[in-house]
Amino acid sequence: MSTGSAHARETASIAEASEEAPAGEPTPRARRGRPGYDRAQVLEIAVRLFNEQGYDATSVSSLAAELGLSKAALYHHFASKEQILEIALDDALGGLESVLDGALADEGTAATRLVTVIAGAVRVLTSRLPQVTLLLRVHGNSEIERAALERRRIFDQRVAHLVGQAQQEGALRRDIRPSVTTRLMFGMINSIIEWYRPAHTSLTPEELVDDVTRVIFDGLRAR
Amino acid sequence: MSTGSAHARETASIAEASEEAPAGEPTPRARRGRPGYDRAQVLEIAVRLFNEQGYDATSVSSLAAELGLSKAALYHHFASKEQILEIALDDALGGLESVLDGALADEGTAATRLVTVIAGAVRVLTSRLPQVTLLLRVHGNSEIERAALERRRIFDQRVAHLVGQAQQEGALRRDIRPSVTTRLMFGMINSIIEWYRPAHTSLTPEELVDDVTRVIFDGLRAR
């Protein structure tokens, strides 16, 4: 996971550097004259292509073409398309698991920990949108994808367990099953990848954290 | 929309008739000896294939092969793959739009109408899971898909307008933008397609309607 975090920092700094260009739009001209791509840039562009075209539909050739690299140059950075997928999925899952591990290591009630998990998950989604988007679209067509789905399942179970504890504490309503509560909660959180585009809205990630937390705990009803 | 409803009834009765077989599993043996498929059955199987393999990746040949029909026999039911997509998307969108039209035609407060929209949308999702799944995965690669996305956009706008009215009435909290509220609300509702499988759970569609409505309006906090 420390590798995952280091990589996340690299990705974040690249995202900041290229903020002028709208996300998802190829910028071949801007790339001309650059000495080449580093590993993190190749990863970023690969993940964007996977999300746009689908992982299965994206060939190493089309990725090399998009980068303007030979396949050999691409293989200098990554052993395979599968390796790129694995790293990106690990980045998303590692981020979510770190949030949960941190929250569970905290002192405090289950309800407090759950707030920490929700806020942390929203932050992971907003800061690693492409990687989480890839994760949420995985359908289990390969070993790597099935392993990622299994990690998601374990994550969901651990959160559902925490929801159950918060219900037993009396902090959360008990008339909805913990598994359903967890599904609905993450349904709301995960939907962020579908519509939240930090570059195109005045809604900051931290405002989104607040909005999501308030809706999940207190609902929409005025009080 | 009356066509959409008639078709939904047909699809529902087929779903009931084939309830013994797990959803998503091909049942070639059971099909043997049948005189053939009617239009609704072809549509049902096509939508399942689109959801499993992706619409773009599903050829008319592979659909004909799955059905054990010649392409000519398939074209007896539908003019094109695009037509099947269009009918399925219209079924999902028509269902959601009918719910909204009905709610807006009702007497009562904006908040009451919003409850009706949420409950109705959950019912459309649980009763037309395959069609709504297809709708939610559309990415705008063709005219038909772009038209469906535009209808979704208009639907979202109309719901956001209703949310704004309910805020002005004082029924809903005003500290979250109507557009964000609508996104989060439908994020939760739409996530149902990812995990709700009526045949594999004791949670009934009406219990799910209650759970979703309670979480959206009152949140998870015990009161």
Side-chain angles (χ1 to χ4, degrees):
Chain A
M1 298 223 191
S2 59
T3 316
S5 305
H7 162 255
R9 278 194 299 276
E10 279 177 351
T11 310
S13 63
I14 288 161
E16 281 156 26
S18 64
E19 214 165 35
E20 318 88 77
E25 196 176 289
T27 53
R29 270 174 221 164
R31 280 178 204 147
R32 264 182 217 157
R34 283 195 192 180
Y37 295 96
D38 66 23
R39 194 178 148 94
Q41 286 171 309
V42 171
L43 187 72
E44 187 196 356
I45 292 165
V47 172
R48 176 169 61 71
L49 273 193
F50 295 165
N51 283 332
E52 283 171 10
Q53 307 177 354
Y55 171 73
D56 292 326
T58 307
S59 64
V60 172
S61 304
S62 67
L63 176 55
E66 175 75 17
L67 290 158
L69 294 177
S70 66
K71 279 212 228 179
L74 186 53
Y75 284 125
H76 169 73
H77 292 294
F78 295 99
S80 62
K81 190 175 92 159
E82 287 71 25
Q83 195 195 12
I84 301 179
L85 176 69
E86 192 166 24
I87 291 169
L89 294 179
D90 183 62
D91 194 13
L93 284 162
L96 292 168
E97 288 162 352
S98 294
V99 161
L100 184 55
D101 292 341
L104 295 182
D106 270 358
E107 300 288 319
T109 63
T112 314
R113 292 167 175 189
L114 190 60
V115 173
T116 306
V117 170
I118 292 167
V122 173
R123 288 189 191 105
V124 169
L125 262 74
T126 55
S127 63
R128 306 183 196 180
L129 269 178
Q131 297 93 319
V132 179
T133 301
L134 193 60
L135 174 65
L136 295 178
R137 291 188 186 157
V138 149
H139 284 291
N141 296 334
S142 67
E143 264 316 305
I144 290 166
E145 294 181 48
R146 281 188 289 276
L149 287 177
E150 178 62 13
R151 276 171 77 180
R152 264 192 78 185
R153 202 185 57 75
I154 292 168
F155 176 85
D156 286 349
Q157 268 187 342
R158 293 173 71 200
V159 177
H161 184 71
L162 188 60
V163 168
Q165 288 180 321
Q167 286 184 338
Q168 277 163 17
E169 281 174 6
L172 292 197
R173 62 191 309 155
R174 298 186 192 203
D175 56 350
I176 305 177
R177 305 176 195 187
S179 61
V180 174
T181 301
T182 306
R183 299 280 201 179
L184 293 176
M185 210 169 71
F186 273 97
M188 180 179 285
I189 293 170
N190 292 341
S191 75
I192 289 171
I193 64 154
E194 304 288 347
W195 60 271
Y196 185 64
R197 300 292 174 267
H200 298 94
T201 174
S202 60
L203 186 75
T204 68
E206 285 307 306
E207 284 167 345
L208 186 57
V209 166
D210 285 348
D211 286 356
V212 169
T213 311
R214 280 180 290 189
V215 175
I216 288 177
F217 282 92
D218 293 313
L220 298 182
R221 200 183 298 281
R223 288 178 203 285
Chain B
M1 299 220 188
S2 59
T3 315
S5 305
H7 161 255
R9 277 193 300 276
E10 279 176 352
T11 309
S13 64
I14 289 160
E16 283 156 23
S18 64
E19 216 165 32
E20 317 89 77
E25 196 177 291
T27 52
R29 270 175 220 164
R31 280 179 204 146
R32 264 183 217 156
R34 282 196 193 179
Y37 295 96
D38 66 22
R39 194 177 149 96
Q41 286 171 310
V42 171
L43 188 71
E44 187 196 356
I45 292 164
V47 172
R48 176 169 63 70
L49 274 192
F50 295 164
N51 284 331
E52 284 170 10
Q53 307 177 352
Y55 171 75
D56 292 326
T58 307
S59 64
V60 173
S61 304
S62 67
L63 176 55
E66 174 76 17
L67 290 158
L69 293 177
S70 66
K71 279 213 230 178
L74 186 52
Y75 284 126
H76 168 73
H77 292 294
F78 294 100
S80 63
K81 189 175 93 157
E82 287 70 25
Q83 195 195 11
I84 300 179
L85 177 70
E86 192 166 25
I87 291 170
L89 294 178
D90 183 62
D91 195 13
L93 284 161
L96 291 168
E97 289 162 351
S98 292
V99 161
L100 184 55
D101 292 341
L104 295 181
D106 271 359
E107 299 290 318
T109 63
T112 315
R113 291 167 176 188
L114 190 59
V115 173
T116 307
V117 170
I118 291 167
V122 174
R123 288 189 191 107
V124 169
L125 262 74
T126 55
S127 63
R128 304 183 197 181
L129 269 178
Q131 297 93 320
V132 179
T133 301
L134 192 62
L135 174 65
L136 295 178
R137 292 187 186 158
V138 150
H139 283 291
N141 296 333
S142 67
E143 264 315 306
I144 289 167
E145 294 182 47
R146 282 188 288 277
L149 287 177
E150 178 62 13
R151 277 172 76 180
R152 265 192 78 185
R153 204 185 57 74
I154 292 168
F155 177 85
D156 286 350
Q157 269 187 343
R158 293 173 71 200
V159 176
H161 185 70
L162 188 59
V163 168
Q165 287 180 322
Q167 285 184 338
Q168 278 164 18
E169 280 174 6
L172 293 197
R173 61 190 310 153
R174 297 185 192 205
D175 56 350
I176 306 177
R177 304 175 196 187
S179 61
V180 174
T181 302
T182 306
R183 299 279 201 182
L184 293 177
M185 210 169 69
F186 273 97
M188 180 178 285
I189 294 171
N190 291 341
S191 75
I192 290 170
I193 63 154
E194 304 289 347
W195 59 272
Y196 185 65
R197 300 292 174 267
H200 299 94
T201 175
S202 60
L203 186 74
T204 68
E206 284 308 306
E207 284 167 345
L208 186 58
V209 166
D210 285 347
D211 287 355
V212 169
T213 311
R214 280 180 290 190
V215 175
I216 289 177
F217 282 92
D218 293 313
L220 298 182
R221 200 182 298 280
R223 290 181 200 284

